[in-house]
Amino acid sequence: MGFLPSVAYPVCAAGGLICFLSPNFDTGYTSLIVCNPVTRKWKELPAMNYNRVPFLVSMVVDKGRMSYKVLVAGGVDDSTSLHHHRRSTEMYDSATGAWVECGLLPQGEEICRSIVEYRGYYVCLTRGPGSGLLAFNVESKEWVKMRTGKIPGFSKFRHLVECSGSILVIGKALRRYVLGLYIWCLDPGTLRWREVGRMPRAMCDRFFTSPSECFYCTAHGHLIFFCRYYYNHGLVYNTLDNSWHQVSGCPLLTHPLLLPFDPGLDPVD
């Protein structure tokens, strides 16, 4: 955005705010900038407790308190830091204007960038053979592993979204030797996954050019938006009536960055 002070890359959004990573090419590390594109106000956050290029960044807005919190994890320089530092997480609270060091990521867990805010927790996917869900409690500032059923879909082709108060996994899977795109919902009572939607076969064949092609998605309210690189057509799935619609002719979709964003007057201070 032209009114920001330096090169900056959007990494997450909440309410009417967007959080940017701003690289320092002299040091190799980054700072974080929170801005409101409606009011064109921005704020560079204080330096984090550790020099890092965070692997995971997420944000939540508290409209009642007129404040926000930013969570970062991973990305501490491996060559100079102890192992527990590399697993560290920290949180910035705009109400205090300071970073607080939080609980360590569980030993042996490799986190994904796919993270959602859900009922006072940040929930993210992990990678590897034992992939699952990690939950970060915003109040206690500790991580716990959620004992859910096996995460459905292929690990290289799945995303986590929050949609109308539910946690969904969206990913590719085989059914009768045919690769397709499916949507599963986490039952909060049993912590088991159930299939709630699938992309129609003809639409799937048009959307993907090869079985190994990645896709990107985000949720807003009861809608889920899908796109992929170098393709100026997107898809919208309506969870209320299980319908799919095509969005075409948008040049910005060729290099997608999908952030759930509600334009508003949320303050950055």
Side-chain angles (χ1 to χ4, degrees):
M1 294 186 180
F3 59 88
L4 293 179
S6 60
V7 176
Y9 307 96
V11 288
C12 64
L17 302 178
I18 301 177
C19 183
F20 291 79
L21 275 179
S22 180
N24 185 318
F25 296 106
D26 294 326
T27 65
Y29 297 109
T30 62
S31 59
L32 291 172
I33 295 173
V34 172
C35 90
N36 185 320
V38 173
T39 63
R40 298 176 69 86
K41 294 183 181 295
W42 58 270
K43 176 181 181 178
E44 182 173 352
L45 302 188
M48 292 171 274
N49 291 314
Y50 297 103
N51 286 330
R52 68 171 86 217
V53 182
F55 182 79
L56 182 151
V57 185
S58 191
M59 178 167 58
V60 62
V61 167
D62 187 332
K63 291 187 178 293
R65 296 175 61 207
M66 300 291 286
S67 65
Y68 59 89
K69 294 178 180 179
V70 178
L71 175 71
V72 299
V76 176
D77 187 351
D78 288 359
S79 64
T80 60
S81 301
L82 297 175
H83 182 63
H84 74 275
H85 287 170
R86 297 198 298 271
R87 294 192 293 116
S88 70
T89 58
E90 48 189 304
M91 176 176 283
Y92 174 82
D93 190 336
S94 68
T96 63
W99 290 94
V100 175
E101 192 165 352
C102 304
L104 301 179
L105 288 165
Q107 185 79 33
E109 296 290 350
E110 188 177 358
I111 56 176
C112 296
R113 285 184 167 87
S114 205
I115 184 169
V116 298
E117 194 272 332
Y118 178 74
R119 298 184 180 181
Y121 289 82
Y122 289 102
V123 180
C124 70
L125 282 168
T126 63
R127 296 184 288 185
S131 59
L133 293 182
L134 290 181
F136 177 83
N137 188 312
V138 176
E139 293 302 320
S140 68
K141 299 180 176 59
E142 296 290 338
W143 291 91
V144 294
K145 184 160 186 174
M146 296 178 66
R147 300 188 178 277
T148 69
K150 182 181 177 181
I151 306 293
F154 294 129
S155 60
K156 291 183 179 180
F157 305 105
R158 62 185 174 208
H159 296 273
L160 187 73
V161 301
E162 185 276 331
C163 193
S164 298
S166 297
I167 291 180
L168 305 178
V169 162
I170 302 169
K172 293 182 178 181
L174 282 174
R175 292 287 190 275
R176 297 184 179 91
Y177 304 102
V178 177
L179 188 65
L181 187 74
Y182 297 83
I183 302 171
W184 299 273
C185 180
L186 182 67
D187 186 303
T190 64
L191 293 183
R192 294 295 182 263
W193 299 95
R194 60 183 177 88
E195 184 181 312
V196 293
R198 68 180 68 182
M199 185 181 291
R201 175 69 185 280
M203 185 175 284
C204 194
D205 290 342
R206 290 194 302 268
F207 188 70
F208 294 107
T209 59
S210 71
S212 61
E213 189 165 33
C214 295
F215 69 96
Y216 305 89
C217 63
T218 191
H220 192 279
H222 59 273
L223 301 176
I224 306 173
F225 182 76
F226 298 81
C227 64
R228 62 178 178 82
Y229 272 113
Y230 306 110
Y231 186 64
N232 67 344
H233 294 267
L235 298 174
V236 173
Y237 174 67
N238 189 325
T239 60
L240 296 182
D241 60 11
N242 195 34
S243 62
W244 294 82
H245 306 276
Q246 182 170 289
V247 179
S248 60
C250 179
L252 295 178
L253 294 182
T254 58
H255 291 81
L257 176 70
L258 302 180
L259 298 175
F261 174 63
D262 284 313
L265 302 179
D266 300 282
V268 299
D269 294 320

